[in-house]
Amino acid sequence: MEDEVERRQFEQILELDDEELQIEEVDSLLESSDDDRETTGGASIDDFTFDPYLTSLHSYLGEVDDTRHRPALWEGGAILNLPLFYLEGVVLFPEATLPLRVTKPNFIAAVDRAMSQADAPYTIGVVRAYRSADGGLLSLAKIGTTAEIRQYRPLEDGTVNVVTRGQQRFCLRHRWIDAGASFGEIQIIEKEVPFITP
């Protein structure tokens, strides 16, 4: 019985291979008349180029300034106190970029504290937040990632645009609120080196 079903599926696949594709012709912008070009401002496809590097600049955040500092890395097992971001449904991995439009007052306070702290400058901790199965209480994951603030721009409406980059994984030991900002005591996780290089 199974062989018969597989044979029919194989025959259907062969039939699809034999079918001719029907191509629908569409007028392109290049073949449009001069009247059409005048109404579109004289633009043609040749006037538009896709810049793959523009995507990584996160230009939708507007102008952001580089923080121009050296990234801080810590030994495995180091214990730090960092301003904490807990983001629902977001997991930051080391070396990944996380652009943020910061609008909540406690997160704005956390960014301000991170910009001025002495022991871990320009660094925040990012932890995934999730709701319980019934959709009620918000819980925090025990593992997070330190994030270096690479670009920063305060806006007129009081919000802040930042571009961060994940650095090192950590274990969240304790958390608290200090002057409106969320803080966490974290312990850097020792980076595991594989025994065999693939």
Side-chain angles (χ1 to χ4, degrees):
M1 181 72 176
E2 259 182 46
D3 292 338
E4 182 65 27
V5 172
E6 286 181 19
R7 189 180 60 77
R8 277 194 217 137
Q9 288 176 345
F10 188 70
E11 287 174 358
Q12 289 174 345
I13 291 170
L14 289 175
E15 287 174 13
L16 288 174
D17 285 344
D18 292 338
E19 283 186 21
E20 282 188 37
L21 293 177
Q22 295 181 0
I23 300 172
E24 181 180 343
E25 291 187 23
V26 179
D27 292 335
S28 73
L29 185 59
L30 292 175
E31 295 173 357
S32 63
S33 68
D34 290 338
D35 295 336
D36 292 340
R37 288 180 187 224
E38 287 175 12
T39 58
T40 60
S44 71
I45 290 178
D46 295 334
D47 294 338
F48 301 103
T49 57
F50 176 72
D51 185 358
Y53 299 104
L54 203 55
T55 307
S56 63
L57 296 177
H58 304 290
S59 58
Y60 52 85
L61 289 175
E63 290 292 322
V64 286
D65 300 321
D66 288 333
T67 55
R68 292 189 174 90
H69 74 284
R70 292 180 44 193
L73 296 175
W74 295 275
E75 294 290 325
I79 296 175
L80 306 164
N81 293 331
L82 290 180
L84 203 60
F85 266 52
Y86 44 92
L87 304 171
E88 195 168 353
V90 175
V91 176
L92 177 64
F93 291 94
E95 303 299 320
T97 300
L98 177 64
L100 297 167
R101 173 86 185 251
V102 186
T103 58
K104 293 185 177 180
N106 60 331
F107 290 157
I108 293 171
V111 169
D112 290 341
R113 295 288 294 271
M115 298 294 283
S116 62
Q117 63 188 353
D119 56 340
Y122 300 94
T123 305
I124 58 174
V126 177
V127 179
R128 182 179 75 92
Y130 57 93
R131 297 211 178 269
S132 58
D134 61 356
L137 296 174
L138 191 67
S139 300
L140 299 183
K142 297 292 184 198
I143 304 295
T145 304
T146 63
E148 169 200 359
I149 298 173
R150 290 199 163 179
Q151 296 176 322
Y152 169 85
R153 170 65 66 122
L155 303 174
E156 292 176 6
D157 62 359
T159 61
V160 177
N161 287 341
V162 294
V163 176
T164 65
R165 183 168 176 89
Q167 294 295 331
Q168 294 175 284
R169 293 174 9 135
F170 65 79
C171 181
L172 180 62
R173 295 166 49 114
H174 178 66
R175 66 184 177 96
W176 67 93
I177 304 291
D178 182 16
S182 298
F183 266 81
E185 181 183 75
I186 66 157
Q187 183 171 17
I188 300 295
I189 295 175
E190 188 81 38
K191 188 174 182 180
E192 295 179 6
V193 179
F195 292 115
I196 300 171
T197 305

